[in-house]
Amino acid sequence: MGSSWKSGSMGLERMSVEQLKAVKEQADLEVNLLQDSLNNIRTATTRLEIASSALHDLSHRPPGNHILVPLTASLYVPATLHDSQHVLVDVGTGYFIQKTMPQGKDYCHRKINLLKSNFDQLVDVASKKKSVADEAGVILQAKLKQLASSS
Amino acid sequence: MSSSNLKDLQRELENKANDLSKLQKEIAKNHQMRKKYTVQLGENELVLKELDLLKEDANVYKLIGPVLVKQDLAEANANVRKRIEYISAELKRLDATVQDLEEKQNSKKDTVCNFSLLTFLALFSTFTWILSLNMIFDEDKLHAFSISKFQILIYFKNVFITREGINLLQK
């Protein structure tokens, strides 16, 4: 990566102001996109963590426990807990799978780990892109200054 | 060069620029579709991975409207596989169309560039060039073909110089 990166910055120095501007704009756009993706991953991870803790909570309730189920945000109806050992997990595209408590927790943890590894990869890519964008910005500024002083 | 001729040239240039921007819009739309399909493909693959992990006797439900309907694991598996197949095929198709559109766009870009040069040459015989530049090319349009006034000037200058050279040689 190091050698190609160097040749990349050399290429930047040889570019015209117009090209540099285009490169900078493109890089900025990509950085923003990556930042958005990172945020999305972060929210997804927190949601899974909440789900996991809810599962943990539920597994400690004995069956027959009285609970209030929210029908709307402000309307709750009383109910009794019938089965605290099985849960339905939404795995996406409309499919739900019945799992036992430990399986459900395992699912959450697997997803969280997957997201974390994706997150780390993305952070790498994002920081590389950001340095390219910064580099382009610095060279662009220098070129503009040069142009201003020579004219 | 008469002014009506000039107007024709300008009109034609505008038409060509419009065509180009239409193509660009189409490409953008295609890209968006592609993005959507890629997301769906990823989601389906995750579901398939999850289904593959299950035991034979696992209960799988499919959300149809507001109800959950119990489904056979094998059936669900086949469904997801079929969907992945379909989406992959669709992605390939989109790739092909995007490539096609991009080729078209490039050729259009060339014609627009050449054409704007032609118009410019025509204008040059009537007005001083800086003035005419400001008249025909507003910044937005130039942005559409991603060339700057400056580039046109240089482009034109080169052509002009070669023309001068040819004239001198002919003398």
Side-chain angles (χ1 to χ4, degrees):
Chain A
M1 194 67 223
S3 62
S4 72
W5 161 236
K6 257 200 183 121
S7 70
S9 71
M10 287 290 283
L12 280 179
E13 262 156 45
R14 261 187 257 124
M15 281 182 186
S16 69
V17 174
E18 304 281 338
Q19 279 172 317
L20 263 176
K21 249 185 209 160
V23 167
K24 170 109 176 80
E25 248 166 53
Q26 183 74 27
D28 278 344
L29 219 70
E30 276 170 46
V31 167
N32 279 342
L33 209 77
L34 287 171
Q35 214 66 47
D36 278 354
S37 305
L38 282 176
N39 279 338
N40 283 342
I41 288 184
R42 217 173 286 138
T43 47
T45 311
T46 38
R47 265 171 55 193
L48 275 168
E49 266 158 10
I50 291 170
S52 173
S53 72
L55 279 181
H56 186 73
D57 222 34
L58 194 63
S59 64
H60 289 309
R61 315 265 169 205
N65 221 2
H66 287 278
I67 49 171
L68 288 169
V69 180
L71 285 190
T72 67
S74 53
L75 177 63
Y76 290 73
V77 287
T80 49
L81 194 58
H82 168 66
D83 181 357
S84 65
Q85 288 317 308
H86 290 94
V87 282
L88 276 178
V89 180
D90 181 359
V91 289
T93 66
Y95 282 104
F96 287 72
I97 299 172
Q98 191 174 47
K99 285 179 182 292
T100 59
M101 270 304 163
Q103 279 173 344
K105 276 185 212 161
D106 184 47
Y107 172 83
C108 283
H109 285 139
R110 251 186 304 129
K111 287 280 132 147
I112 289 172
N113 283 338
L114 177 73
L115 285 176
K116 278 213 172 108
S117 75
N118 281 358
F119 187 83
D120 291 341
Q121 278 174 28
L122 217 55
V123 163
D124 255 17
V125 176
S127 64
K128 261 176 207 145
K129 269 277 158 221
K130 195 155 170 37
S131 64
V132 171
D134 288 347
E135 181 110 358
V138 168
I139 296 175
L140 182 63
Q141 290 288 329
K143 288 226 166 175
L144 284 179
K145 228 178 239 171
Q146 227 174 45
L147 273 181
S149 62
S150 67
S151 67
Chain B
M1 187 76 64
S2 69
S3 69
S4 74
N5 237 340
L6 205 69
K7 281 231 171 80
D8 280 351
L9 269 178
Q10 247 171 291
R11 200 164 307 129
E12 210 159 321
L13 175 60
E14 233 158 71
N15 282 341
K16 285 199 156 70
N18 280 343
D19 281 353
L20 181 62
S21 65
K22 231 181 258 165
L23 262 180
Q24 275 170 339
K25 247 178 228 157
E26 220 163 305
I27 287 175
K29 214 167 85 189
N30 230 312
H31 271 300
Q32 221 152 19
M33 290 271 279
R34 236 189 76 91
K35 210 161 132 192
K36 219 172 76 188
Y37 276 123
T38 321
V39 169
Q40 279 187 359
L41 185 67
E43 195 177 349
N44 274 299
E45 265 164 5
L46 280 180
V47 173
L48 187 65
K49 223 189 270 170
E50 213 46 54
L51 287 177
D52 277 342
L53 284 172
L54 291 177
K55 285 193 206 103
E56 294 288 314
D57 55 346
N59 290 325
V60 180
Y61 300 84
K62 173 95 183 86
L63 187 71
I64 302 173
V67 279
L68 284 173
V69 182
K70 195 164 173 185
Q71 215 175 31
D72 235 28
L73 180 57
E75 199 184 325
N77 224 321
N79 270 346
V80 175
R81 262 175 227 281
K82 209 181 272 168
R83 217 164 353 167
I84 286 178
E85 227 167 81
Y86 168 73
I87 293 173
S88 310
E90 201 70 357
L91 270 177
K92 250 186 212 148
R93 195 180 60 80
L94 279 177
D95 268 347
T97 39
V98 156
Q99 217 164 25
D100 197 42
L101 281 173
E102 256 161 19
E103 262 163 39
K104 262 193 210 159
Q105 186 201 32
N106 282 340
S107 68
K108 265 258 148 55
K109 238 183 200 166
D110 281 350
T111 51
V112 168
C113 265
N114 290 337
F115 209 80
S116 61
L117 194 69
L118 204 71
T119 318
F120 188 67
L121 264 171
L123 273 175
F124 185 73
S125 54
T126 337
F127 309 109
T128 49
W129 32 304
I130 297 289
L131 192 69
S132 52
L133 251 192
N134 283 331
M135 280 181 64
I136 25 166
F137 302 114
D138 44 304
E139 292 284 349
D140 292 343
K141 278 212 188 101
L142 280 176
H143 206 72
F145 4 110
S146 64
I147 41 176
S148 64
K149 282 180 194 174
F150 195 63
Q151 270 172 311
I152 292 185
L153 278 180
I154 294 193
Y155 203 115
F156 172 69
K157 228 177 169 179
N158 288 339
V159 171
F160 188 67
I161 288 167
T162 43
R163 282 186 105 219
E164 286 273 84
I166 290 167
N167 282 346
L168 275 176
L169 277 178
Q170 276 168 349
K171 269 176 203 165

